[in-house]
Amino acid sequence: MSLSFAARAGVQNAERQAAIERVRSQIGSGAIERVRLSWCDVHGTLRSKTLMPAAALKALDAGIGMVSTLMLKDSSDRTAFKVFEPGAGKTPSGFGYANNVVLLPDPASFQMLPWSPGTGWLRCETFFADGRPIAFDTRRVLEQALAQLAALAPQGLSLTCGLEVEFHIYRIDPAAADPQLDPAAAAWPGPAPTPALRLVHPGYRLLSEQWGDMAEAPLRIVQETAQALGLPLTSLEIELGPSQVEAVFEATDALTAADQMVLFRSATTQALRRAGYHATFMCRPPFPNIMSSGWHLHQSLVRLADGGNAFMRDASAEGCGPLDARRELSDLGSHYLAGLLAHARGMSVFCTPTTNGYGRFQPNALAPQSAVWGRDNRGAMLRVIGGPGDPATRIENRIGEPAANPYLYMAAQIHAGLDGITRQLQPPPATDAPYASSADERLPTSLGEALQALRDDGALAAGFGADFVDYLCQIKGLEVDRQAQAQDPQEWQAREFFGRI
């Protein structure tokens, strides 16, 4: 008897088989008409195949083929490597000639999509046809980083993350034609939907209850969709910019948090679109007088042995001054903080991966400009929250944009923090003037500068692997080149991002 693909890939076990039987029972009930098999690409967006119920059940054991070039796409959806020209470029091994790779669903991820009646959903990871896992799968990149944390001596650790995600919601004007759907305007990428949009609130009144009431209809859709998917949403808030909102989620383990972020973005966009709204996680939408959106990542390390917060200390370290990190953080937490600072420039491309996102780093804008930390300071890149005896003690990284691939964003924190722990780095004093820092502390001001900073960062290159760094730089470098060649960079960014993320 031949082994199933799942068995050959080394993932089949009793727990997985039990989950398959649960999915089989749900599909057998007759309520499911189709199942989407979804996979998160390097840009953090979902790609999917829609299978009929019988085919979806078969794919749980056998997987299903996917063209390998989907793992090689740049942000315009062009293949970033010359797969049909051997020797013409550095096409990664195993990806030649637009061959097939295999999507294998995780049966434990099965969901019903609340906005699409009769539609089930499964998260997938990628494998080569011989069963080998593909190292470029970004979810696997985070899994490997977490495994390094778990193996850290003398105590294994895990990462806990809480999400604060800013984004924009616009109402689609029903009387206006959608330029995205005009066949005469079709292009690669196509036009942005800007002419057909209206605000859901006028902005510039942070947390205004009146504006919240004005935007209640789309926010209710966001709430109901997130809750129907089991996402731990805690609040929806009116942000400062016109049509800008924020969603906040309870903290959970990093891999779960990353899965939730991917699903939240995709679900929010789709559910709102069906109701006549356009949601975008683009950092800087293509309108005047907007406020940039950030993704603030709260993080702490947890001891595997007892579940305790490894950043918390019982009392401030003896002799430490008011600007010393050891006043709030444990020694391990201080080393981790120092690692994040030491590798801030190198990790920027994982946290802010689009050319659009670098316009956010402005002084006095509640966004970071330099690799500094502060105590409950929203102008600093790293904001330390909590203190002795507080089990919620954590570090908030404010460098991220909401379009970031969450698996890479979180993996970058781990690799940077681990280097700080391993080398027992000490952070500099906290800042009270986050926008008055020296030039050598400045974050990259462009995607091209961020890519070079990653290439120059030996610890991050070792953590992610040289092959992955080369792969990412090839893909993101084409985005830099296209922006440089654009006659109208703002119009180019609108086409590249506004209708797509």
Side-chain angles (χ1 to χ4, degrees):
M1 181 178 178
S2 61
L3 293 174
S4 68
F5 183 84
R8 287 190 284 120
V11 300
Q12 188 66 6
N13 54 33
E15 183 179 2
R16 176 184 170 84
Q17 188 58 43
I20 288 175
E21 295 306 319
R22 290 194 294 271
V23 175
R24 193 183 306 277
S25 176
Q26 289 177 278
I27 290 179
S29 69
I32 297 173
E33 302 168 4
R34 67 197 69 82
V35 182
R36 296 184 193 174
L37 271 61
S38 291
W39 161 76
C40 180
D41 70 11
V42 71
H43 306 288
T45 59
L46 286 178
R47 312 278 186 155
S48 71
K49 289 194 171 192
T50 301
L51 303 188
M52 300 306 102
L57 287 174
K58 181 179 178 181
L60 290 169
D61 288 320
I64 190 167
M66 178 185 80
V67 60
S68 63
T69 51
L70 278 179
M71 301 194 73
L72 308 178
K73 296 293 186 184
D74 66 15
S75 54
S76 74
D77 224 49
R78 290 175 171 86
T79 302
F81 298 86
K82 297 179 179 181
V83 297
F84 294 111
E85 302 174 38
K90 296 182 179 179
T91 301
S93 176
F95 290 89
Y97 312 108
N99 60 327
N100 259 7
V101 294
V102 178
L103 287 178
L104 187 63
D106 176 3
S109 69
F110 184 80
Q111 293 266 16
M112 293 295 295
L113 299 184
W115 66 89
S116 180
T119 303
W121 182 90
L122 286 162
R123 182 184 60 248
C124 299
E125 287 187 302
T126 54
F127 296 80
F128 289 116
D130 61 5
R132 287 178 296 135
I134 298 177
F136 294 159
D137 189 314
T138 58
R139 190 174 193 270
R140 194 165 284 125
V141 169
L142 177 56
E143 289 175 325
Q144 292 170 346
L146 289 167
Q148 292 181 43
L149 262 185
L152 188 68
Q155 55 182 358
L157 298 168
S158 65
L159 179 68
T160 292
C161 291
L163 314 180
E164 288 185 7
V165 189
E166 297 168 348
F167 60 106
H168 289 79
I169 302 173
Y170 299 92
R171 179 178 175 271
I172 300 171
D173 186 346
D178 187 345
Q180 286 188 307
L181 302 180
D182 180 358
W188 192 352
T194 51
L197 302 180
R198 296 291 183 268
L199 298 174
V200 300
H201 72 78
Y204 306 114
R205 296 183 68 188
L206 182 65
L207 296 182
S208 164
E209 188 167 335
Q210 286 84 356
W211 286 184
D213 191 67
M214 185 182 294
E216 181 182 354
L219 291 180
R220 184 182 294 273
I221 293 168
V222 175
Q223 172 192 340
E224 293 176 349
T225 302
Q227 290 175 335
L229 291 169
L231 304 181
L233 182 69
T234 62
S235 72
L236 290 169
E237 302 175 4
I238 296 297
E239 271 295 330
L240 183 59
S243 253
Q244 189 181 40
V245 300
E246 181 181 61
V248 180
F249 296 84
E250 289 182 5
T252 186
D253 69 276
L255 189 60
T256 299
D259 289 340
Q260 291 170 344
M261 180 63 174
V262 171
L263 186 55
F264 173 73
R265 284 191 306 216
S266 182
T268 294
T269 303
Q270 294 176 57
L272 284 171
R273 178 75 188 195
R274 289 191 179 216
Y277 298 92
H278 177 76
T280 180
F281 292 84
M282 180 182 183
C283 178
R284 295 179 58 79
F287 300 108
N289 303 316
I290 57 92
M291 290 290 177
S292 301
S293 289
W295 169 13
H296 307 146
L297 185 63
H298 294 252
Q299 55 194 293
S300 59
L301 294 181
V302 174
R303 294 184 296 270
L304 292 177
D306 60 10
N309 184 345
F311 282 0
M312 187 190 81
R313 65 185 316 136
D314 295 329
S316 296
E318 291 186 11
C320 70
L323 301 182
D324 193 320
R326 296 175 303 150
R327 185 181 180 203
E328 280 82 22
L329 295 172
S330 66
D331 289 352
L332 183 140
S334 297
H335 298 325
Y336 185 93
L337 175 70
L340 296 183
L341 291 171
H343 300 288
R345 288 180 54 81
M347 74 161 67
S348 294
V349 69
F350 299 108
C351 312
T352 300
T354 72
T355 55
N356 176 262
Y358 287 85
R360 175 172 164 260
F361 299 150
Q362 301 292 331
N364 304 308
L366 293 176
Q369 193 175 33
S370 302
V372 295
W373 76 276
R375 182 172 297 108
D376 200 7
N377 187 328
R378 285 184 167 86
M381 174 187 149
L382 301 175
R383 174 182 171 223
V384 173
I385 306 166
D390 184 351
T393 296
R394 61 197 185 275
I395 298 169
E396 176 192 20
N397 193 336
R398 299 176 62 83
I399 193 176
E401 67 169 322
N405 179 311
Y407 303 113
L408 299 182
Y409 189 177
M410 295 178 192
Q413 312 306 292
I414 294 171
H415 291 308
L418 270 176
D419 185 60
I421 293 171
T422 301
R423 294 197 287 145
Q424 295 192 324
L425 299 180
Q426 295 294 339
T431 184
D432 288 327
Y435 298 112
S437 303
S438 62
D440 60 352
E441 295 173 323
R442 291 291 171 89
L443 295 171
T445 58
S446 69
L447 180 59
E449 186 182 347
L451 288 170
Q452 186 59 53
L454 173 60
R455 293 186 186 100
D456 294 341
D457 193 314
L460 289 183
F464 282 94
D467 288 345
F468 185 84
V469 170
D470 288 345
Y471 160 79
L472 184 75
C473 288
Q474 170 71 13
I475 289 174
K476 300 305 296 183
L478 294 182
E479 182 182 321
V480 175
D481 294 343
R482 286 197 309 279
Q483 184 184 39
Q485 296 163 8
Q487 293 182 349
D488 183 343
Q490 288 187 332
E491 191 273 343
W492 172 82
Q493 287 198 20
R495 284 179 174 265
E496 190 88 0
F497 305 117
F498 188 60
R500 299 162 65 88
I501 58 176

